[in-house]
Structure formats: C-alpha cells, structure tokens
Amino acid sequence: MHSKKQTSVKYYVGIDVGSASVRAALVDEFGTVAAHAEQPIQIWEPHPDHYEQSSADIWAACCTVTKKVVCGVDASQIRGVGFDGTCSLVVVDKQFQPLAVNSEGQNCRNVIMWMDHRAVSQVDRINATQHRVLSNVGGVMSVEMQPPKLLWIKENLQESCWEKAGYFFDLPDFLSWKATGVTARSLCTLVCKWTYTSDGGWDDSFWKMIGLEDLVKDKYEKIGNHVLSPGESIGKGLTPEAAKDLGLPEGIAVAASLIDAHAGGLGVIGADVKGHNLPCENQPITSRVALICGTSSCHMGVSETPIFVPGVWGPYFSAMVPGLWLNEGGQSATGKLIEHVVRSHVAFPELQSKAAASAQSIYTYLNSHLDLIKKSLPVGFLTVDLHVWPDFHGNRSPLTDLTLKGMVVGLTLSRGLDELALIYLATIQAIALGTRHILETMQAAGHHINTLFLCGGLSKNPLFVQMHADITGKPVVLSKEVESVLVGAAILGACASGDFTSIQEAMAKMGKIGRVVQPNHEHKRFYDKKYEVFLKLVEHQREYRSIMKS
C-alpha cells in the first residue's frame, strides 16, 4: 500500500537482492518507506556446499518488485535508484551473456552464491601465501570472498568458463551495470571481497602468486579497473532498456552500489539518537556497531584510523561510510541456523499446526511458549543446562575457522514442543554469545563500542533482540523502518541524485530510530557464566579433534 503523498515529496528507489528474495522500496527524503514489495529468487544446490543462482532470474525479480513499488507514483518525483546485494560472484562472457559456473554446463546458473564453500582447497592455498593483502581481511581470507572462487573456476572449469569469461562481477556491481550499461565497480565490493585497496588499487604480485596472473594482463578489465565510491552517480543513469524493464524514467540517477550488509549499516548507524538516553549520544559514530542479521549476520564498526582486528575483516577505507575505516565481523549462519534447528526437530510438525491454528508465525508461537514454561524464572535462564556452539557452517569471526562444527550440550530423550522451544532459545543465545565474542575481539584491538544498532529480518524477533542486549550488556537500537537495508539502498540513490551533499547528511536525515531495548543488568552474572561455557565448547571441540588426528 502507498501512503498519501504530496507532490513536493522526493522519492528514491532502493533495491535489495538478498539470498532468497529480491525486495524494493519507495523511500521518501525523510527515510519513510512509502511502498515495498518482495519476490523470491531461485537457489540451486547441485552438490553439498555448492550454491548457485541465475543473474537473469535475479534481474527479472528486480524488475517485478520495482514496478510494483512505483506504480501510481508521479515519475517526476522519483529522483534516484540504489542497489545492494549479497557478495555473490556473477560470471558473463564477452557479450555479457551468462556462463555456467557448474560442470553441468547450465549457463542460466551463472552465479556462485556468497555462502558457497566449494573453494576450500583454493582458500587454504591462498592463506598459505601469507601475502600482505591478507592483513586487510583479518589475516585470513574467507572462502566466501571472490579470489578463491575465481581460482576454483580456473582450476575446474578452465575451458567452459574461465577462458570464455568476459567479466566477473560482484552481484551489486552486476546490478548497476545492468541498470546503466557501465562496468564501473563499487569501492565497497572490490575493497571488501576482492583485495582492492582504496589507496593502492590492485596488487599485481598477489594475483600472480595465487595463479591468477591472467587477470593482470588485461589491466584488470575482467574484474574492474573503473572504481566509484558508494553513492556516486554512474554514467548517464538508467538506460532506455533498463528504464523500460524497471518501470522508471530513462536517465534517472543510479548510484554505485553496496553489499547488502553495508547498506543495512548505512540505513541505521548514522541515525540521530538525541533524546533516547543512549551512551552513544554526543559520541562519534565510532561508538556504534551496526548488526545486520538475516540469513547470516554482519557486525559493522567504523573508526577514524585503521584498526587491525584478528579474525575480523578490514580495515577498509570508505567502504561503507566515506572517510571512515570499516571493520566487519560476521557469522555465516544465523537466521539459516535458527530455521535449521527448528525445522529439523521432531516436534516441528506439532509446532507448525499449533502456530497455524493460533494465526501466529512459528517464532512468535515459540516465544509465547517459552513464556508459558518459564514459570518464575527469566526466560533466558531456562537454558542453564543446555548450551549450543553455533558454527554449523564454520566460523567467520573472530576465529576464522571454516572447519568448526556446531555443538549441542545438554540433550535429553524428551522430544516434545518444550524441548524444541528450549533448543530454539539456546540457539538464539549462542548467536548472541557469538556477537559478544566478536565485539570483545574488536574492543581488545582498539574499538570503543557502547551501542548496537540492529536491522534485518531477525531484528523483528523480540527474543533475538533482548538476548543480544542482555548477553552483550549494551543497549540495542531498532530503526523506525524495519527495512533498514532498503533505506540504505535508497540513501545511495538519494546521494546519486544530488539531493544530498554527502552520504553522512543523507544518513542523518533518512535514518530514524524506532525503539530502544535496554539490557537487564540483573541477568549479567548468568550470561557471564553462559559465555564462559560458550568459550569452553570451542576449546573442547579443538581438543577432541586433536585427539582424533593424533
């Protein structure tokens, strides 16, 4: 539904490509979402840890949702478009046609998803080089970054893909190319996922050392030699073809894009906090961390000088907020983990039917059920004997250990809804304990963090939010607009339009606070003990693995 609009209001379109869906929002100059739409996109899993998508399917979904949100709006009021997307790898040939990233030769599947872990061998060899560029990714490159995926393609699909490839795009850059016909890349994607540096550009010696010297020969045309800052206007705006596809006017401003988590950070981290009695009030933005929590979670902290944090990506200059250094922690599976734990439990069918009967989501029902069984205890204390280590998909930060597995300690023979609710709670707590682990590592390295800003799908779950406040001991700020990632994408479009002089100005005006959740400090002792157990779990896992290898 559209809200009532005045003819003088300026609008911007934010388009967000997540893991499983594409969303678009029409956002006004004050950061209010006037309309939004969502469309699912397909994921293929041809082999374990191989995840693929189709750039054609993704673009078609972008067009569908954009047409929906601008329907009935005076085109002259729409001033700019911003894209964000997952840091997935898109491969096209020299004519920009999709190329298969699989041995089956399915050209429609030309995207290796961010969460694809096929390139384990390649990333191990890259990390063994100890090349200087690795210092900007916490010392260890992740399998989710692009160099190992490129190396995998060269080693496994040499003739069918590598030799035919014309361009390798990060997904956010593919979207801006599709909209403008310009192959410029965003500083955000290249710096965060490709080893580009804002001061020195590409490092020839790195690509030669890892066996991808082919990319150096053509002056990096295939992976990007024209780089723009996020929010910068690209080319001449929307091409006639893209304008028709999206239902927007030709020539409208299109911004250099962001990775989806970074767009979420942009949408929340700069909000005006006056009057909310928060510790970050009258403090620099560097006292804040934006936590973008969806399928996975990202922890975005900024600093005025570069801070090197072991196991945390960065520091990246101007990769999210211009003029500031970015560190990015992360958890590879959060929303996906909660879904996995809940849906794989034997009591899930019972949960499903009871939630449907009460017209609630399964998570709202579980939260209510926990309130029923807690008796006189605080809800969080129900897991005194149940503990989870959440790395079912490896550890991204701060341990950077892809081989770590998930753990559950404290299981019984019980199989009912109570037990499902408890393992759900323990999983949420484990994710929050993982956030505490990341924040403490960042603070030990020199960050000064006192407030969390949450956005993304999991921020809609009050239990998830309260556990993050209680376990970290820090207040949690929720944005007025739940769809902060889309607001962040719209902020890019607003900057490209020229209506704001800087991203910082747009962030302050378009980012709005909704609710503040304070930690319950009376529960500190309990969660300190949970955290102590949490750290013991990974010690034990490494110990027993060492025994098995000996």
Side-chain angles (χ1 to χ4, degrees):
M1 295 291 292
H2 287 277
S3 60
K4 292 181 180 178
K5 298 176 284 292
Q6 298 175 354
T7 55
S8 60
V9 174
K10 296 172 182 174
Y11 291 104
Y12 313 97
V13 176
I15 301 169
D16 163 54
V17 179
S19 299
S21 67
V22 175
R23 302 177 305 151
L26 186 70
V27 183
D28 71 18
E29 60 198 293
F30 307 105
T32 303
V33 175
H36 64 90
E38 185 168 7
Q39 174 89 1
I41 48 178
Q42 195 162 355
I43 298 173
W44 288 268
E45 189 181 355
H47 309 286
D49 285 334
H50 287 228
Y51 296 94
E52 297 169 5
Q53 290 183 311
S54 160
S55 64
D57 179 48
I58 290 169
W59 181 250
C62 289
C63 298
T64 299
V65 291
T66 303
K67 284 178 176 174
K68 285 181 181 177
V69 299
V70 302
C71 181
V73 178
D74 182 350
S76 67
Q77 292 178 262
I78 304 173
R79 305 273 300 153
V81 180
F83 291 95
D84 73 76
T86 64
C87 47
S88 300
L89 179 67
V90 184
V91 186
V92 295
D93 65 18
K94 294 173 180 65
Q95 286 75 46
F96 296 96
Q97 295 304 304
L99 269 179
V101 293
N102 48 75
S103 56
E104 294 88 352
Q106 295 291 318
N107 283 330
C108 64
R109 286 159 35 203
N110 68 317
V111 180
I112 299 179
M113 286 189 73
W114 65 271
M115 61 184 180
D116 185 290
H117 283 190
R118 70 182 67 183
V120 172
S121 166
Q122 289 74 16
V123 81
D124 285 346
R125 280 179 275 140
I126 290 171
N127 285 323
T129 68
Q130 297 186 322
H131 194 279
R132 58 179 174 262
V133 301
L134 300 179
S135 66
N136 285 328
V137 292
V140 181
M141 181 169 285
S142 167
V143 71
E144 295 171 7
M145 293 180 177
Q146 308 304 8
K149 292 173 181 172
L150 293 170
L151 188 55
W152 185 92
I153 290 173
K154 183 176 181 180
E155 293 178 348
N156 292 273
L157 303 172
Q158 172 101 30
E159 292 183 10
S160 63
C161 183
W162 183 258
E163 292 176 359
K164 293 179 180 178
Y167 301 90
F168 298 100
F169 287 104
D170 218 278
L171 178 55
D173 294 323
F174 169 82
L175 298 170
S176 60
W177 163 75
K178 194 74 176 166
T180 65
V182 178
T183 60
R185 308 305 209 276
S186 168
L187 184 66
C188 173
T189 58
L190 292 196
V191 164
C192 295
K193 306 300 174 186
W194 297 72
T195 75
Y196 188 88
T197 60
S198 51
D199 53 354
W202 297 114
D203 189 321
D204 294 358
S205 66
F206 169 71
W207 297 100
K208 291 174 181 176
M209 184 178 284
I210 69 170
L212 294 178
E213 62 283 345
D214 330 34
L215 299 175
V216 181
K217 290 175 185 174
D218 65 359
K219 297 180 180 176
Y220 298 100
E221 185 181 357
K222 289 185 178 180
I223 61 174
N225 51 23
H226 178 202
V227 185
L228 299 175
S229 294
E232 246 185 284
S233 184
I234 301 177
K236 297 179 180 178
L238 277 184
T239 63
E241 182 182 3
K244 183 179 178 184
D245 286 349
L246 294 165
L248 291 168
E250 179 184 339
I252 193 173
V254 177
S257 55
L258 280 173
I259 298 165
D260 54 352
H262 300 64
L266 209 63
V268 295
I269 202 169
D272 184 353
V273 299
K274 285 176 184 170
H276 290 271
N277 196 29
L278 286 164
C280 63
E281 187 174 346
N282 299 320
Q283 296 289 315
I285 194 174
T286 53
S287 64
R288 310 175 182 190
V289 158
L291 174 51
I292 299 87
C293 37
T295 304
S296 63
S297 290
C298 293
H299 307 69
M300 323 292 277
V302 291
S303 57
E304 292 179 357
T305 57
I307 299 175
F308 291 85
V309 186
V312 172
W313 298 340
Y316 305 131
F317 187 65
S318 290
M320 184 174 77
V321 181
L324 295 177
W325 296 85
L326 171 70
N327 282 110
E328 179 186 348
Q331 296 162 294
S332 292
T334 49
K336 189 175 179 66
L337 173 61
I338 294 167
E339 182 183 28
H340 168 77
V341 167
V342 169
R343 290 180 177 272
S344 60
H345 196 279
V346 68
F348 178 68
E350 180 188 354
L351 167 65
Q352 227 176 355
S353 62
K354 287 186 173 178
S358 61
Q360 293 179 309
S361 75
I362 57 173
Y363 300 115
T364 301
Y365 189 89
L366 281 172
N367 293 350
S368 300
H369 192 75
L370 285 167
D371 283 333
L372 284 176
I373 64 176
K374 72 175 185 179
K375 298 178 181 174
S376 61
L377 285 171
V379 165
F381 288 25
L382 288 169
T383 59
V384 64
D385 291 320
L386 184 61
H387 310 281
V388 173
W389 180 262
D391 291 332
F392 285 50
H393 199 50
N395 184 283
R396 186 190 298 172
S397 302
L399 303 178
T400 61
D401 188 345
L402 181 63
T403 67
L404 285 175
K405 312 296 183 195
M407 299 172 71
V408 182
V409 175
L411 293 174
T412 70
L413 291 174
S414 301
R415 295 154 48 92
L417 196 54
D418 287 2
E419 285 65 40
L420 170 51
L422 290 177
I423 191 68
Y424 158 74
L425 170 61
T427 302
I428 285 177
Q429 289 175 333
I431 292 167
L433 290 162
T435 289
R436 176 169 167 173
H437 197 193
I438 291 166
L439 295 180
E440 289 192 359
T441 304
M442 292 174 72
Q443 290 177 141
H447 280 275
H448 301 283
I449 300 159
N450 57 34
T451 311
L452 299 183
F453 287 69
L454 257 64
C455 69
L458 291 177
S459 70
K460 301 173 189 176
N461 184 332
L463 180 66
F464 184 91
V465 174
Q466 190 65 58
M467 287 299 104
H468 273 74
D470 289 351
I471 287 170
T472 65
K474 301 183 191 303
V476 172
V477 177
L478 300 173
S479 59
K480 184 178 179 183
E481 291 292 347
V482 176
E483 308 297 352
S484 295
V485 177
L486 286 166
V487 172
I491 285 172
L492 295 175
C495 291
S497 73
D499 291 341
F500 293 90
T501 57
S502 67
I503 279 185
Q504 286 92 330
E505 183 193 352
M507 284 166 58
K509 189 170 181 184
M510 296 177 70
K512 296 280 189 271
I513 286 185
R515 191 164 62 92
V516 174
V517 177
Q518 295 287 350
N520 188 328
H521 294 295
E522 293 179 6
H523 300 169
K524 181 180 184 302
R525 187 169 179 271
F526 177 81
Y527 289 117
D528 284 348
K529 289 181 176 293
K530 286 284 287 188
Y531 187 55
E532 190 177 344
V533 172
F534 180 78
L535 296 179
K536 289 285 185 188
L537 290 177
V538 72
E539 280 182 34
H540 291 322
Q541 181 171 162
R542 286 175 162 169
E543 186 179 346
Y544 76 63
R545 291 169 77 178
S546 176
I547 292 169
M548 295 305 295
K549 287 178 181 176
S550 61

